[in-house]
Amino acid sequence: MSSHYEAPIREPLVLGEKSYADISADVAAPVLGKANKSWWIVFTIALIAFLWGLGCIIYTVSTGIGVWGLNKTIGWAWDITNFVWWVGIGHAGTLISAVLLLFRQKWRMAVNRSAEAMTIFAVVQAGLFPIIHMGRPWLAYWVLPIPNQFGSLWVNFNSPLLWDVFAISTYLSISLVFWWTGLLPDFAMIRDKTESPFQKKIYGILSFGWSGRAKDWQRFEEVSLVLAGLATPLVLSVHTIVSFDFATSVVPGWHSTIYPPYFVAGAIFSGFAMVQTLLIIMRKVSHLESYITVLHIEYMNKVILLTGGIVTVAYGIEYFIGWYSGVPYENYTYLSFGAATGPYWWAFWALITCNFIVPLTLWVKKLRRNIMWTFLVALIINIGMWFERFDIIVVNMSKDRLTSSWTLFQPTFVDIGTFMGTIGFFFVLFLLYARTFPVIAQAEVKTILKTSGAGFKKLRADHGDN
Amino acid sequence: MYTLPSKLKLFSIILIVLGLAGITYGFLTTPKTIGDVNEILAQQEGHEATSHHNAETSNFVDTMRGDEGYSEAAMEHATDLSAEGQGASSHEEHMLHQFQTRPWSATFVAAFFFMMIALGVLVFYAIQYASQAGWSPVLYRVMEGITAYLLPGSIIVFLIVVFAGTHFFPWQNEELVAGDKILQDKSGYLNFPFFVIRGVIYLLGWNLYRYFSRKNSLDQDNATDFAPYRKNFKASVFFLIFFLITEATMSWDWFMSMTPHWYSTLFPWYIFSSLFVSAITVIALVVIHLRSRGLVEFISDKHLHDLAKYMFAFSIFWCYLWFGQFMLIWYANIPEEVTYFIIRIQEYQVLFFGMLILNFVFPILLLMNSDYKRVPWFVVITGVVVLIGHYIDVYLLVMPSTVGHHYGFGIPEIAAILFFLGLFILVVGNGLAKVSLRPKNDPFIRESENYHF
C-alpha cells in the first residue's frame, strides 16, 4: 500500500484520460499559441480604462485631492474603500497557495497559480491608493525610516498606517517570491517546449536554469512548505493590520475588537469570489475544463459559504453589541438600526443582500455546482464586499459624535475614474499573464494525476486498489 | 477494546471524593456576616500592611456611568464612592459578597474548563466530518470518547450559571437594575428567563449532536453503504452553524455579562480559540495514553504530528486573538472598555502576562521543530503547559469579574480542579471503553490508516 492511496469516494480532480504529456500540452497551449480577436478586444477595453484611470490619477496629483468628493468630515471614502477592497481580493491567492497547502488540499493545485497572480495584481492596485490619496504624494518616501538630514527625523511607529506600509510591502514581496518559486518548473517546461528561439531565450532567463534534479525538487518542496508556513500568518496579519486602520480609532463603528479576524474572513470571502469570477472565464477560453472542474468550483463555493458564514456571524455580533453597548453613538454605525433606516439605507441593504442573502443560495448543491449561477453570485459578492468597506468607512464617519459635523459623501468622476482605472490595470496585467504564463501549476498537477486523475481512478476501480 | 485501568479508576474516584470535600469546605467556610469579614480583615492586616483599598476606587468609569461593573456588591458599593461616603459598612458588605462568591467562581472555572475541552473536541470532530478529512478518521472513537464528558459537564456548568445568581451576574439583582439606566436598556437580553432558555438551547443542541453523531458513527461500523456517514456529514455541517452562533451568545451570557457594562465584539471568538486549542491538546494527550498501552497501533506518529501541528497553530491563533482584543482596547483607551484590562493588569499582573508565556511562547518554541512533534513526551510536556495556561485563561475571564482582588489559589480552586479532573477521567475512560477503538467502514478510514506525508 502506497502513500498515494486515495479513497474511491473522492471525485477526480483531473478529468479525461490525461497523461503527463497532455497536461504539459494543455497548459502550454495558450502560451505557445496566438491571441485571438476577443482577447485583443478585451485587452483594448482594459487598457483604455487603465489609461483613463491614469489620467484621473495625474489630474488628482497635479490639481489636488480636492478634485475628489471628500469633505472635512469624510476624509476617507472611495480611496480607502478601494484600497481595502483590492487588498481583500489579494488574500484568496495566498490562502489558496499557502493555507490550502498546509491543509494538503489537492484541489488547490489547479487554481493556485492564477490565484497567486490575482493576489499580486490586486495588491499592486491596492498599493496605488495609499500613495495617491496623500495630499503630497511626492513626500511619500517620508514614511520610511531612513536616516536623513533632519537630525535623523523618523517615523512614529504607533500608526497603523505605517504598519500598512510594512504589511503591504512585505506581503507583495513574499507573494511574489512564493509565486515565482512555483513558476520555475513551469517556465522550464515552456522553455523546453517552445520552438521559437526568442521565447526559448526569455523562458530560459525566467526559469533560472531549472533542471529538475532530485535535490532541486527536495529543496523546492521544503521552500514551498516554509514559505507557506510564513505566508499563512502573514496573510492573517496583513488584513489584520488593514483592519487596525479603523479599529484602533475611537470612531463609533470603527472601534471594534472583532475587526481583525472579521476583516480576514471578509478578505477570503471576497478573494474567492474574485477567483471564481476569473477562473470561470479562464477555464472556458483557455480550454482548461479538465483541470478546473465543477468540483473545484464547488469547493471554492464551499469556502465562500464558510467565510461568508463567519462574516455574517460577525455582522450579527456587531449589530448586537452595537445595541448591547448602550452607547447612543453606536446607533449610527454601519451595522445598526440607524444605518438600516438612515440616508445610507441603500448601502446597508446592498451589503446585507449581496453578502448574506444571495450567497445563501450556494447551500443548494445544484446551484453550487452551477457554473453560471456561481459566476453571478461571485460578481454579486464582489459588489457586496465593496459595499461592506464603503459602509464601514463612509457610513460610520458620516454620523460621528458631533451632529454639527454630520454630512454625506458624493463621489466625483475622478473618484469613479480612478477606481475604474485600477480595474482596467488589473485586467491588463491579468490578460497579459494569461497569455504568457503557465496558468496552471502543471508540475503540481502531475503529482496528483495518478491518485486523483479520472483515468487512473477508473483503472483502480476496475483492477482493485493495490 | 479499552478499559480504564483500575488504578486510574481508583485515582479518579479519589480525586472526585477529595474534590467534593474541598468544594464543600470552600462553601461552608465563606464568611456569613460582616463580623466574619472584619475578623478576616484583622487577620490579613496582621500579615500584610498594604491592603487593596485603592483598588476599590479604580473603576472610575462605571462610577461616572452610574456604578461599578465587577459584581453586584461592587456595583452597590459604588454609590458610596465619594470621599466622605466611603462608609465602612458598605465596604465590608462588598467584601462579604466577594468572599461568598469565591467558591462559586472556583467551581465554575474548573467546571467550564473541562466542559470546554469536551465541547472543543466535539467541534474538532464535526470539522473533520464536514471537511472530509482523510487523516483523522482513525481518531473518531478517541474523540467520541472524550465528548462523553459533554453531557455531565455541560449540565453542571448550566446548573452553576443558573444558581450562581448575583454572585456572577449583577444584572440579576433587581434593585441594582432599578437604579441603573444602562442595565435597564440591556434587560431585553439580560433577563433571567431568557438567560435560562438560551442555556437550555445550547445544552440541547450540543448534546443532541453529540448523541446522534456518535450513533451514526457507530452504525457505520456495521453498515454496507455510506448512509450513516452521509447523515453525519450533514449533521456536522448544521452543528457547526449552530455552534458558531451559540458559542457567541454563550460567551456573552456566561462570561461577558459578569461585567455587564463592558463589551467587546471579539470576545466570543477569543473564548473559542481557548476552547479549541485546549481540546486539540487533550486529544493528543489521550492518543498518547492509548498508544502507550498499545491499544491504537493504527494511530501512527504521523497522526500525532498532525495533532501537534494543530496545537502549535492554534496556540498562535489564540495569541493572535488575545493580542487583537488587548491591543485595540489598549490603543484606543476608551474608558468604558479599558476597565476590563485595568483590573487584570493591576491585580493579576503575573497571571495575565505569564499566561502569554505558557500559551504562546512555550508551544511555539517547543513545537516549531518537525521532529519534536512526533516525540510523545515532548507533546505531553507542551500539552500540560498549554492546559495550565488555558486554565489560567478561564480563571482570568471569571475571577477579576466576580471576586475582584479577593482572589487566591487555595482549597476551593484546587478542590474544584481535582473534582472535575476526576470526573473527566472517569467519564472519558468509560466513554472510550464501550466500543472498539478502531472505526470500520468509514469511507476515509483506509486513507487515514495509510496516512503518510
Side-chain angles (χ1 to χ4, degrees):
Chain A
M1 292 210 231
S2 77
S3 58
H4 287 295
Y5 175 78
E6 184 176 282
I9 192 174
R10 294 196 195 275
E11 287 177 56
L13 291 169
V14 181
L15 297 181
E17 310 254 329
K18 296 285 179 189
S19 68
Y20 290 146
D22 294 336
I23 296 178
S24 299
D26 291 345
V27 174
V31 183
L32 301 176
K34 280 214 170 346
N36 58 15
K37 212 165 103 191
S38 45
W39 186 89
W40 281 107
I41 294 172
V42 179
F43 182 75
T44 312
I45 296 172
L47 194 65
I48 291 171
F50 167 44
L51 292 175
W52 174 251
L54 201 63
C56 288
I57 291 172
I58 293 169
Y59 176 56
T60 307
V61 173
S62 55
T63 312
I65 213 81
V67 300
W68 289 358
L70 302 176
N71 53 51
K72 284 188 208 160
T73 298
I74 300 172
W76 276 354
W78 277 51
D79 48 352
I80 300 300
T81 300
N82 299 337
F83 164 70
V84 182
W85 188 71
W86 277 118
V87 179
I89 284 173
H91 276 58
T94 314
L95 189 95
I96 288 174
S97 52
V99 179
L100 296 184
L101 178 73
L102 295 184
F103 283 113
R104 293 187 291 262
Q105 296 295 307
K106 290 177 177 175
W107 61 272
R108 66 175 267 287
M109 290 174 181
V111 293
N112 63 349
R113 175 66 41 75
S114 296
E116 286 165 46
M118 184 195 76
T119 292
I120 286 155
F121 304 147
V123 174
V124 167
Q125 308 314 321
L128 289 172
F129 287 102
I131 312 270
I132 60 174
H133 92 306
M134 290 180 174
R136 298 178 186 84
W138 48 90
L139 296 180
Y141 69 97
W142 283 16
V143 304
L144 301 174
I146 310 169
N148 54 53
Q149 291 161 319
F150 301 101
S152 228
L153 180 68
W154 266 30
V155 286
N156 184 340
F157 285 95
N158 289 340
S159 166
L161 298 181
L162 182 69
W163 308 338
D164 269 346
V165 174
F166 299 124
I168 302 293
S169 54
T170 312
Y171 187 53
L172 183 62
S173 8
I174 298 277
S175 304
L176 205 58
V177 170
F178 198 8
W179 187 50
W180 205 278
T181 316
L183 275 162
L184 294 179
D186 292 5
F187 279 146
M189 182 273 285
I190 307 267
R191 171 198 67 196
D192 299 342
K193 233 180 158 55
T194 180
E195 307 272 295
S196 133
F198 176 69
Q199 273 196 333
K200 220 174 195 66
K201 182 96 190 148
I202 296 286
Y203 287 99
I205 295 169
L206 294 180
S207 61
F208 294 177
W210 177 266
S211 57
R213 288 167 304 186
K215 200 72 193 171
D216 296 351
W217 277 114
Q218 198 188 335
R219 298 271 192 257
F220 177 90
E221 295 276 327
E222 250 170 70
V223 166
S224 306
L225 207 56
V226 169
L227 281 179
L230 289 175
T232 303
L234 187 67
V235 74
L236 272 113
S237 66
V238 169
H239 220 64
T240 293
I241 287 169
V242 170
S243 81
F244 285 169
D245 293 348
F246 311 103
T248 53
S249 74
V250 292
V251 177
W254 278 11
H255 180 74
S256 172
T257 49
I258 207 172
Y259 268 27
Y262 152 55
F263 264 51
V264 173
I268 299 165
F269 181 56
S270 68
F272 266 81
M274 190 56 121
V275 177
Q276 294 277 35
T277 320
L278 297 173
L279 287 186
I280 285 175
I281 296 175
M282 182 189 259
R283 70 193 284 277
K284 195 85 192 157
V285 296
S286 298
H287 306 293
L288 297 169
E289 289 100 332
S290 305
Y291 307 100
I292 302 167
T293 66
V294 175
L295 184 66
H296 289 85
I297 288 168
E298 188 186 9
Y299 280 155
M300 288 195 275
N301 277 335
K302 284 183 176 175
V303 177
I304 287 176
L305 275 179
L306 171 69
T307 49
I310 292 173
V311 168
T312 302
V313 171
Y315 292 164
I317 291 176
E318 283 272 333
Y319 198 97
F320 175 81
I321 297 288
W323 168 81
Y324 179 88
S325 71
V327 177
Y329 303 113
E330 292 280 343
N331 191 32
Y332 302 114
T333 60
Y334 74 112
L335 279 170
S336 61
F337 183 73
T341 52
Y344 279 113
W345 62 271
W346 47 273
F348 175 92
W349 290 107
L351 163 82
I352 299 296
T353 312
C354 299
N355 290 348
F356 170 55
I357 296 172
V358 173
L360 282 181
T361 55
L362 295 179
W363 282 101
V364 181
K365 185 164 184 172
K366 249 205 177 111
L367 294 174
R368 198 162 64 220
R369 292 182 80 104
N370 181 319
I371 294 172
M372 278 314 292
W373 184 252
T374 301
F375 186 73
L376 196 69
V377 172
L379 271 183
I380 290 173
I381 291 172
N382 280 316
I383 296 168
M385 286 306 290
W386 190 88
F387 270 107
E388 185 195 296
R389 279 67 177 251
F390 177 81
D391 289 10
I392 286 175
I393 294 169
V394 174
V395 176
N396 284 334
M397 276 202 290
S398 68
K399 283 190 176 181
D400 201 347
R401 289 197 166 83
L402 276 179
T403 44
S404 58
S405 325
W406 284 9
T407 185
L408 294 177
F409 170 80
Q410 189 73 44
T412 65
F413 80 94
V414 192
D415 283 303
I416 300 167
T418 310
F419 181 44
M420 290 301 155
T422 56
I423 293 176
F425 191 14
F426 176 81
F427 278 101
V428 165
L429 292 171
F430 198 83
L431 285 165
L432 288 174
Y433 150 83
R435 300 280 329 138
T436 50
F437 278 53
V439 294
I440 283 180
Q442 52 90 25
E444 292 198 51
V445 171
K446 283 174 185 171
T447 65
I448 58 163
L449 180 65
K450 289 196 171 170
T451 51
S452 309
F456 289 91
K457 278 188 101 78
K458 192 169 172 297
L459 271 180
R460 269 209 309 281
D462 293 346
H463 299 286
D465 274 335
N466 301 316
Chain B
M1 198 75 101
Y2 173 79
T3 44
L4 187 61
S6 57
K7 274 186 189 158
L8 201 53
K9 192 170 186 175
L10 185 66
F11 176 65
S12 66
I13 291 171
I14 292 173
L15 288 182
I16 293 175
V17 174
L18 274 179
L20 211 53
I23 292 173
T24 319
Y25 172 82
F27 275 99
L28 292 180
T29 51
T30 52
K32 299 284 168 298
T33 60
I34 290 175
D36 297 342
V37 174
N38 283 332
E39 256 173 58
I40 296 173
L41 285 181
Q43 273 177 359
Q44 274 182 352
E45 258 157 51
H47 289 299
E48 46 172 329
T50 54
S51 66
H52 294 279
H53 286 292
N54 333 336
E56 287 327 313
T57 54
S58 68
N59 197 348
F60 57 97
V61 178
D62 276 329
T63 314
M64 295 195 19
R65 292 185 79 188
D67 49 330
E68 286 192 34
Y70 300 142
S71 67
E72 175 215 357
M75 285 189 156
E76 282 186 343
H77 167 64
T79 51
D80 270 348
L81 265 183
S82 59
E84 66 276 13
Q86 179 87 9
S89 67
S90 88
H91 175 66
E92 280 144 12
E93 208 173 294
H94 162 57
M95 308 257 290
L96 176 65
H97 274 274
Q98 293 195 330
F99 280 126
Q100 286 178 342
T101 299
R102 187 171 154 196
W104 282 96
S105 300
T107 315
F108 179 59
V109 171
F112 184 80
F113 177 71
F114 284 98
M115 185 211 79
M116 83 174 186
I117 290 173
L119 183 59
V121 172
L122 193 67
V123 177
F124 191 72
Y125 175 80
I127 292 173
Q128 301 310 309
Y129 264 104
S131 63
Q132 304 182 329
W135 69 281
S136 52
V138 288
L139 300 170
Y140 283 168
R141 295 289 173 268
V142 178
M143 294 195 254
E144 286 157 11
I146 299 171
T147 54
Y149 180 76
L150 184 64
L151 184 62
S154 58
I155 290 175
I156 294 172
V157 166
F158 176 75
L159 292 178
I160 294 175
V161 294
V162 167
F163 287 104
T166 53
H167 286 301
F168 285 176
F169 307 113
W171 52 267
Q172 291 183 6
N173 180 339
E174 280 170 20
E175 277 175 45
L176 184 72
V177 176
D180 185 326
K181 179 82 174 48
I182 301 168
L183 292 189
Q184 284 163 21
D185 287 347
K186 294 184 187 195
S187 62
Y189 185 78
L190 294 181
N191 62 70
F192 191 66
F194 191 26
F195 178 80
V196 175
I197 291 170
R198 288 195 301 268
V200 171
I201 292 172
Y202 312 152
L203 239 60
L204 278 179
W206 300 339
N207 284 300
L208 281 178
Y209 169 70
R210 196 268 162 185
Y211 174 78
F212 283 108
S213 65
R214 179 178 161 85
K215 188 170 162 293
N216 284 329
S217 179
L218 293 178
D219 284 352
Q220 184 66 57
D221 274 2
N222 307 314
T224 48
D225 58 358
F226 294 138
Y229 158 79
R230 283 183 208 287
K231 267 197 230 163
N232 245 8
F233 175 82
K234 274 212 174 118
S236 304
V237 172
F238 286 110
F239 167 71
L240 287 173
I241 300 173
F242 179 79
F243 175 78
L244 196 61
I245 297 165
T246 52
E247 197 272 335
T249 51
M250 178 271 285
S251 311
W252 297 331
D253 289 356
W254 297 351
F255 294 96
M256 208 161 87
S257 78
M258 285 175 171
T259 47
H261 282 181
W262 182 79
Y263 50 89
S264 165
T265 40
L266 183 60
F267 194 67
W269 294 357
Y270 171 69
I271 291 186
F272 167 75
S273 68
S274 195
L275 165 156
F276 201 56
V277 70
S278 316
I280 295 165
T281 305
V282 170
I283 299 175
L285 295 182
V286 173
V287 164
I288 290 171
H289 167 70
L290 294 174
R291 258 162 66 91
S292 72
R293 302 185 64 81
L295 290 164
V296 283
E297 294 306 328
F298 50 93
I299 300 180
S300 70
D301 283 353
K302 312 277 183 350
H303 297 102
L304 186 62
H305 188 160
D306 268 18
L307 286 169
K309 275 193 264 189
Y310 272 109
M311 284 166 63
F312 175 77
F314 280 94
S315 292
I316 299 172
F317 182 70
W318 173 87
C319 187
Y320 164 66
L321 295 186
W322 178 89
F323 179 77
Q325 180 168 265
F326 173 72
M327 193 279 273
L328 289 176
I329 289 175
W330 169 83
Y331 193 110
N333 204 18
I334 296 175
E336 277 99 330
E337 297 182 0
V338 289
T339 50
Y340 187 81
F341 287 113
I342 284 178
I343 187 171
R344 278 161 179 79
I345 291 175
Q346 283 182 348
E347 302 287 338
Y348 293 76
Q349 196 168 40
V350 175
L351 286 177
F352 187 68
F353 291 110
M355 151 177 102
L356 278 181
I357 297 174
L358 302 183
N359 287 343
F360 176 63
V361 180
F362 211 76
I364 199 175
L365 291 180
L366 260 65
L367 294 180
M368 179 82 85
N369 188 310
S370 177
D371 296 330
Y372 292 173
K373 292 196 227 6
R374 301 179 193 209
V375 182
W377 65 267
F378 237 94
V379 178
V380 170
I381 287 181
T382 322
V384 170
V385 171
V386 166
L387 289 179
I388 293 172
H390 285 285
Y391 171 82
I392 296 175
D393 195 8
V394 180
Y395 185 89
L396 285 174
L397 289 173
V398 175
M399 289 295 180
S401 306
T402 54
V403 302
H405 59 253
H406 293 287
Y407 71 99
F409 192 76
I411 292 175
E413 287 80 12
I414 296 171
I417 295 176
L418 295 184
F419 173 76
F420 287 104
L421 178 66
L423 192 67
F424 189 80
I425 295 175
L426 196 66
V427 174
V428 172
N430 285 331
L432 289 167
K434 283 177 192 145
V435 289
S436 159
L437 287 171
R438 185 172 199 144
K440 280 185 299 192
N441 295 332
D442 185 275
F444 300 109
I445 190 71
R446 227 183 110 195
E447 213 175 279
S448 180
E449 285 174 359
N450 291 329
Y451 169 64
H452 298 279
F453 61 85

